[in-house]
Amino acid sequence: MDESVPAKEAGLRERASIVGRVGIVMLSCGTGAWRVRDAMNTVARVLGLTCSADIGLSSLQFTCFINDHSYSQVLALPNTGVNTDKLNSLEHFVKYFERDFGMATVKQIHTRISEIEKRPVQYNPVISGFAAALACSGFIFLLGGGIPEMICSFIGAGIGQFFRGSMGKQHLTTIASIAIAVAIACLAYMFSFKIFEANFQVLAQHEAGYIGAMLFVIPGFPFITSFLDISKLDMRSGLERLAYAIMITAVAALVGWLVALLFDFRPENFLPLGLSPIALMLLRIPASFCGVYGFSIMFNSSQKMAMTAGLIGAVANTLRLEMVDLTTVPPAAAAFIAALVAGLIASLVNRYNGYPRISLTVPSIVIMVPGLYIYRAVYNIGINQISVGALWLTKAALIIIFLPMGLFVARALMDREWRHFD
C-alpha cells in the first residue's frame, strides 16, 4: 500500500481496519452499542464504505461493503471497563473526522487513534481511593447515615478502591478483584467501627453503615447502558451488559453478606439524624455533589467533566430525595423524574461543551442505584427470609428500570437521531 495515498483511496481492507479500530477503542471506554455503531458508521461514510456491526459487551463483529466487495473482521477486548476521558477524546475525533482527517493517510489516522488509545489514566490508585471514599461517605449520608457511618465508610471504601485499582494493574480477573476489594472494604469498616465503638462510645446501631463501604463497586455504566441498548433493540449488547452488572452486584453483595456474618452485623435502619427538613435538604446538595464527583473521578473523567457531572447530580438527586420525603411520589417514579432532569441538563451541556452525555448522566444517577435495597435483598434471602428479600429486590428492580427510562426519554426529547432509526 502506498502510504502517501489518502485513506479514502486506500483498499477496502485498510479502510475497514480504521472503522473497526474506532469501534473497538470506543467499546473499551464502556459506552453502549448504539454509540459505538454510530461512530463506526460516521467514519465508514467518510471513507466511502457501508458498515454493518454486531456489538457485545467486550467484542464486535463487523463487515464493510463497497460495490461488490466486502471485508469482515472480529475484534475482542480482554476485559471491560470505563474511561470517560478517552471516550470524550474519541467522540471529538469521530465528530470532526471528515474535517480533520478527510484527506489523511491510513497511517496518519491510525497514529491518531493510537494516541487516544494510549492516553494514560489520569488518576493513580491513591487518588481513585480518595474519590471512592468521598463518594461512599456522601452516599451513606444520603441513605440516612450519620457522622460515624460516614467516617467508617470513607475509610473502608478508600482502602477497598485502592486495592481494587492496584489489582487492576496486575490484570486480575473481574470477579476476583471485586470480591477481594469488597472484602477488604468491609473489613476496614468493621475494624474502624470497632475502634470508634471502643474509644468514642459510638452506639452499636451505627454498624448498619458498613453497606456504604462496598458501594464503590456499583456497576452503574453497564446497568444504565444495558437498558439503553435494549431500548434501541441492541439485544446482544444489552443482555450481556445486564448479565455483567448482575454478576458484579451479586458477587459484591454475597461477599459483603459473608463478612457481615463473621461480625454479626445486620443492615438495620439508620438512627434518626435529628435534622430539620431545610437543613437536610441543604446538606443533601453537597453530599450528592461529592458522591457524583467521586464516581466521575473513578470513571477517569477530567476535573471539569467530574465537576459538571457533580453539579447535575446535586440538582437531580436532591430533587429525587425531596420528592420522596415531601410528596406521595413513589421512589421509582421519583427516580424516573430525577433521571429525566439529569438527562435534559446533560443534553444542554453537551450542546455547549461537547462532553459525551453518558459521561455526565451515568455518574449523576449512579448514586440513585439502590445498592442498599439490593444488599438487603441478598442478606434476607441468605438468612432464609425469602419474602422480605423478594420485597427489597422488587423495590430495587423498579428503581433500576426507571433510571434508564428517564435518560431514554430525555435523549428522545433532545436528540433527533436517537428518536428515529436509520
Side-chain angles (χ1 to χ4, degrees):
M1 182 188 70
D2 187 353
E3 292 188 357
S4 64
V5 173
K8 288 182 178 180
E9 301 175 13
L12 172 59
R13 180 175 180 178
E14 286 74 22
R15 282 184 276 176
S17 68
I18 296 173
V19 176
R21 195 166 179 210
V22 167
I24 198 66
V25 175
M26 182 162 278
L27 187 64
S28 71
C29 298
T31 191
W34 184 86
R35 178 55 63 193
V36 174
R37 182 177 290 105
D38 183 64
M40 295 176 71
N41 286 334
T42 299
V43 173
R45 283 192 291 268
V46 174
L47 297 176
L49 304 175
T50 300
C51 179
S52 175
D54 182 25
I55 302 166
L57 171 67
S58 59
S59 64
L60 63 85
Q61 298 86 44
F62 74 99
T63 301
C64 286
F65 304 89
I66 183 171
N67 299 326
D68 297 328
H69 302 281
S70 65
Y71 177 78
S72 298
Q73 195 171 19
V74 179
L75 301 172
L77 299 168
N79 201 355
T80 185
V82 177
N83 190 324
T84 53
D85 177 62
K86 187 187 296 185
L87 176 62
N88 184 42
S89 298
L90 196 57
E91 286 208 355
H92 187 275
F93 168 81
V94 172
K95 183 178 180 180
Y96 298 104
F97 180 75
E98 184 170 15
R99 184 195 71 183
D100 297 340
F101 296 92
M103 297 305 297
T105 66
V106 173
K107 183 177 181 180
Q108 290 172 332
I109 296 173
H110 276 297
T111 298
R112 177 55 185 150
I113 298 175
S114 295
E115 292 174 356
I116 297 174
E117 187 178 16
K118 295 176 181 178
R119 284 177 68 92
V121 177
Q122 298 193 67
Y123 311 106
N124 58 39
V126 174
I127 296 177
S128 180
F130 274 110
L134 182 66
C136 290
S137 59
F139 210 146
I140 203 66
F141 173 79
L142 296 170
L143 292 174
I147 293 178
E149 291 94 335
M150 293 175 65
I151 295 174
C152 294
S153 293
F154 186 95
I155 296 171
I159 295 174
Q161 176 63 17
F162 170 77
F163 278 96
R164 182 189 182 191
S166 301
M167 288 183 289
K169 289 187 175 182
Q170 304 301 320
H171 304 292
L172 198 65
T173 59
T174 300
I175 291 181
S177 62
I178 291 294
I180 295 172
V182 169
I184 291 173
C186 290
L187 289 171
Y189 183 98
M190 306 300 184
F191 284 118
S192 59
F193 177 78
K194 291 297 184 182
I195 293 173
F196 275 96
E197 188 179 29
N199 295 280
F200 299 97
Q201 288 75 50
V202 174
L203 297 177
Q205 289 91 328
H206 290 290
E207 68 184 26
Y210 75 92
I211 299 169
M214 68 176 81
L215 293 179
F216 65 93
V217 299
I218 288 179
F221 256 83
F223 256 136
I224 303 304
T225 55
S226 67
F227 286 98
L228 292 177
D229 281 347
I230 290 172
S231 71
K232 296 292 289 184
L233 300 184
D234 278 310
M235 293 299 177
R236 176 192 167 193
S237 175
L239 294 176
E240 287 183 12
R241 289 173 185 276
L242 182 59
Y244 175 81
I246 292 174
M247 176 189 73
I248 297 298
T249 305
V251 169
L254 289 171
V255 171
W257 172 62
L258 291 174
V259 175
L261 288 181
L262 294 176
F263 287 81
D264 195 28
F265 276 20
R266 297 179 178 84
E268 304 292 346
N269 293 328
F270 294 104
L271 293 175
L273 295 176
L275 298 172
S276 67
I278 296 296
L280 187 59
M281 181 191 70
L282 294 176
L283 288 173
R284 280 170 171 171
I285 295 173
S288 297
F289 175 87
C290 290
V292 175
Y293 175 82
F295 275 108
S296 295
I297 296 299
M298 290 167 61
F299 296 149
N300 198 44
S301 297
S302 65
Q303 286 293 324
K304 289 185 178 180
M305 193 185 300
M307 293 184 69
T308 303
L311 292 173
I312 295 173
V315 173
N317 191 55
T318 303
L319 174 64
R320 175 184 70 93
L321 295 172
E322 293 300 309
M323 281 192 294
V324 173
D325 286 352
L326 304 178
T327 70
T328 58
V329 175
F336 170 81
I337 295 171
L340 175 62
V341 170
L344 293 173
I345 298 175
S347 294
L348 295 175
V349 173
N350 172 263
R351 294 181 180 181
Y352 172 72
N353 58 22
Y355 289 153
R357 292 180 183 87
I358 196 169
S359 300
L360 302 176
T361 54
V362 173
S364 65
I365 69 172
V366 72
I367 61 172
M368 305 180 196
V369 175
L372 175 62
Y373 289 9
I374 296 171
Y375 179 76
R376 283 182 171 175
V378 172
Y379 180 89
N380 283 283
I381 291 172
I383 60 175
N384 293 325
Q385 294 184 1
I386 307 300
S387 59
V388 178
L391 177 62
W392 284 112
L393 197 60
T394 302
K395 291 180 178 181
L398 281 173
I399 294 175
I400 290 173
I401 291 172
F402 273 103
L403 286 174
M405 283 184 62
L407 295 184
F408 176 86
V409 173
R411 190 69 180 271
L413 291 173
M414 303 295 288
D415 188 346
R416 185 182 183 280
E417 291 185 4
W418 184 265
R419 288 197 299 270
H420 304 277
F421 66 87
D422 185 0

